[in-house]
């Protein structure tokens, strides 16, 4: 049973008056202008230009040209009734080598974007890092090296100095699990490395970099600023109630969730994670004081959710399904979990092949709130890709996406009604865009983009979501 089926679809749900209704994007996916105004390559520029890494050789060189069209895009947000917008800063646009002084033209772009948002009554929510490490830092070793965490702290201070007077909401990292384990473990994301020890080292230095960034932000930002990190926490379900499958779920929880929650929110790595990975590393790259640095007070915990994860334990030599939703690779992004299989959940699936199950979002919110009482939550990403088509009249009708978002907002509302402090929801994504290794083949946008003309057309789901955002009331898509 999904969350949307637990109460009548026709019932109206009222959200708190100060609830944030937003949408989200990432710099490399939308900005383009890859070689303008001092910007240098990031690891995603290099990866996308490497043959065979991205669908049909697509790159973010132009993307959807948000760099030149941001004013039009802000007007779109205003027309859609959004009161918040989550965006990321391109590190290599503002600090091309990952070291030293900023490029003012790069910072000016974000200053202008923020000013445009504020003038439209839209609250900016800034993410410092959404996977686009400057290539020069990767050439020096990347996230597996401690120096990258130190440079990230410096970068955070630089951006805070430029934008801290007008941006209240700050997020350090977006989905560090993907950065570490897809980037350095399975290799399906930039920089495309496939070493489990490097992935674990990267995870630690992302934790450390987060802590250093929070310290830098606290020093530079005015009182009242809100700091968070955005984690793609996995809602993990054992395939059966057997002890073996429950053990498989524990292993994935350790390397998927608690590898971040432990250091960031509790000040230590979980002992079972260290034991699970002891055959790979002794974790000697963790220095005294590192987990204390990672463990900085946060004002919010941001959660990205798309689908549940279903696992079982398999014996050596048995067939091992690997439908974890994270791309295809001979190399696992789950170090210490070689005996865990990933299964297709039953029911409807999106164009990404991901199952549609809003009940798992409710469970995730409730479980997280129970574990960390007093820490407000926000949904920093949730959405779905579908095979959208422009109709003869020029409109894009996407009822599947509207139904998906409705079900998940209903799950959020149910969590709030059950005492979970959820402060906002950011729909992924504002625009169709460069979908990482899938290139332009998958469309997550509320707004359709013609990739030849770059014309923007709000889809029917966007118009429905606009009504929800303006009223603060969730109605079934057919009632909008």
């Amino acid at each position: 049973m999904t969350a949307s089926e637990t109460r009548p679809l026709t019932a109206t749900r009222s959200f708190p008056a100060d609830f944030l209704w937003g949408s989200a994007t990432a710099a490399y996916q939308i900005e383009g202008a890859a070689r303008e105004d001092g910007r240098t390559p990031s690891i995603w520029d290099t990866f996308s230009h490497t043959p065979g890494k991205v669908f049909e050789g697509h790159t973010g060189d132009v993307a959807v040209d948000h760099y030149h069209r941001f004013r039009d895009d802000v007007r779109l947000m205003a027309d859609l009734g959004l009161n918040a917008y989550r965006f990321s800063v391109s590190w290599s646009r503002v600090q091309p080598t990952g070291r030293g002084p900023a490029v003012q033209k790069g910072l000016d772009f974000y200053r202008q974007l923020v000013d445009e948002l504020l003038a439209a009554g839209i609250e900016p929510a800034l993410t410092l890092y959404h996977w686009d490490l400057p290539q020069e830092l990767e050439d020096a070793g990347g996230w597996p090296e401690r120096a990258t965490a130190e440079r990230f702290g410096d970068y955070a201070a630089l951006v805070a100095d430029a934008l801290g007077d007008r941006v209240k909401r700050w997020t350090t990292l977006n989905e560090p699990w993907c950065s570490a384990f897809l980037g350095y473990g399975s290799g399906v994301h930039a920089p495309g490395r496939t070493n489990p020890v490097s992935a674990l080292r990267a995870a630690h230095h992302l934790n450390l970099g987060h802590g250093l960034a929070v310290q830098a932000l606290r020093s530079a930002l005015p009182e009242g600023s809100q700091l968070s990190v955005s984690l793609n926490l996995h809602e993990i379900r054992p395939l059966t109630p057997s002890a073996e499958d429950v053990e498989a779920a524990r292993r994935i929880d350790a390397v998927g969730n608690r590898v971040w929650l432990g250091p960031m929110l509790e000040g230590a790595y979980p002992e079972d994670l260290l034991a699970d990975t002891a055959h790979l590393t002794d974790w000697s790259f963790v220095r005294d004081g590192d987990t204390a640095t990672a463990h900085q007070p946060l004002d919010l915990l941001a959660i990205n959710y798309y689908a549940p994860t279903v696992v079982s334990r398999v014996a050596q030599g048995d067939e091992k399904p690997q439908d974890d939703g994270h791309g295809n690779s001979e190399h696992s992004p789950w170090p210490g979990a070689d005996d865990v299989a990933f299964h297709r959940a039953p029911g409807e699936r999106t164009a990404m092949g991901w199952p549609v199950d809003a009940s798992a979002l409710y469970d995730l919110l409730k479980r997280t709130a129970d574990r960390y009482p007093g820490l407000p939550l926000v949904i920093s990403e949730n959405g779905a890709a579908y095979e959208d088509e422009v109709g003869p009249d020029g409109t894009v009708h996407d009822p599947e996406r509207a139904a998906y978002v409705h079900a998940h907002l209903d799950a959020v509302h149910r969590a709030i009604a059950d005492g979970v402090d959820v402060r906002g929801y950011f729909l992924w994504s504002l625009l169709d865009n460069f979908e990482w290794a899938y290139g332009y083949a998958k469309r997550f946008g509320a707004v359709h983009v013609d990739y030849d003309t770059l014309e923007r057309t709000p889809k029917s789901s966007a118009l429905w979501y606009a009504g929800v955002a303006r009223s603060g009331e969730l109605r079934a898509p057919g009632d909008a």
Side-chain angles (χ1 to χ4, degrees), residues 309-391:
T309 301
V310 180
V311 299
S312 69
R313 198 167 184 184
V314 295
Q316 187 174 2
D318 287 354
E319 182 180 354
K320 189 173 79 169
Q322 201 63 25
D323 188 21
D324 64 0
H326 295 299
N328 297 317
S329 173
E330 296 178 358
H331 304 273
S332 172
W334 306 98
D338 291 340
D339 57 352
V340 175
F342 294 81
H343 300 267
R344 281 180 170 261
E348 179 188 349
R349 302 175 82 81
T350 71
M352 295 291 289
W354 299 344
V356 178
D357 186 349
S359 70
L361 176 57
Y362 171 85
D363 293 342
L364 177 60
L365 291 171
K366 193 72 170 65
R367 177 170 56 82
T368 305
D370 289 346
R371 180 161 186 158
Y372 302 106
L375 181 60
L377 307 178
V378 65
I379 305 301
S380 45
E381 286 184 26
N382 175 244
Y386 288 102
E387 303 293 342
D388 305 319
E389 295 183 1
V390 181

Side-chain angles (χ1 to χ4, degrees), residues 60-200:
D61 288 1
V62 175
V64 297
D65 197 32
H66 176 72
Y67 189 76
H68 298 112
R69 299 167 186 254
F70 70 91
R71 291 183 176 86
D72 292 338
D73 290 339
V74 172
R75 281 193 289 272
L76 259 177
M77 297 177 215
D79 290 344
L80 294 176
L82 305 186
N83 62 21
Y85 172 56
R86 177 176 175 244
F87 65 95
S88 75
V89 172
S90 165
W91 190 345
S92 61
R93 191 179 295 288
V94 303
Q95 196 185 34
T97 66
R99 303 176 180 84
V103 171
Q104 290 305 312
K105 283 188 176 181
L107 284 175
D108 284 345
F109 167 70
Y110 296 105
R111 291 186 180 108
Q112 293 165 20
L113 171 61
V114 167
D115 288 347
E116 201 78 14
L117 291 166
L118 293 173
I122 300 170
E123 186 168 355
L126 186 154
T127 298
L128 285 168
Y129 186 75
H130 199 130
W131 307 351
D132 48 356
L133 186 71
Q135 183 61 44
E136 190 162 321
L137 290 184
E138 173 60 23
D139 292 343
W143 282 110
E145 297 303 319
R146 185 181 193 86
T148 304
E150 295 167 346
R151 298 292 76 74
F152 184 62
D154 297 341
Y155 160 67
L158 182 153
V159 180
D161 182 63
L163 297 172
D165 62 336
R166 65 198 87 177
V167 175
K168 177 183 177 182
R169 299 181 181 277
W170 294 74
T171 297
T172 55
L173 304 169
N174 178 80
E175 297 186 354
W177 185 88
C178 295
S179 296
F181 297 110
L182 301 184
Y184 294 92
S186 68
V188 299
H189 277 195
R193 290 160 63 179
T194 55
N195 183 297
V197 178
S198 293
L200 292 168

Side-chain angles (χ1 to χ4, degrees), residues 55 348-354 356 383-391 395-402 404 432 435 438-445 447-449 451 459-461:
F55 177 77
E348 179 188 349
R349 302 175 82 81
T350 71
M352 295 291 289
W354 299 344
V356 178
Y386 288 102
E387 303 293 342
D388 305 319
E389 295 183 1
V390 181
T395 64
V396 181
H397 187 50
D398 59 337
E400 301 91 349
R401 181 174 290 102
Y404 177 100
D432 289 337
E435 185 49 41
Y438 295 94
Y440 298 99
K442 305 296 182 184
R443 293 180 178 269
F444 276 87
V447 176
H448 179 274
V449 178
Y451 293 128
K459 303 172 187 178
S460 60
S461 65

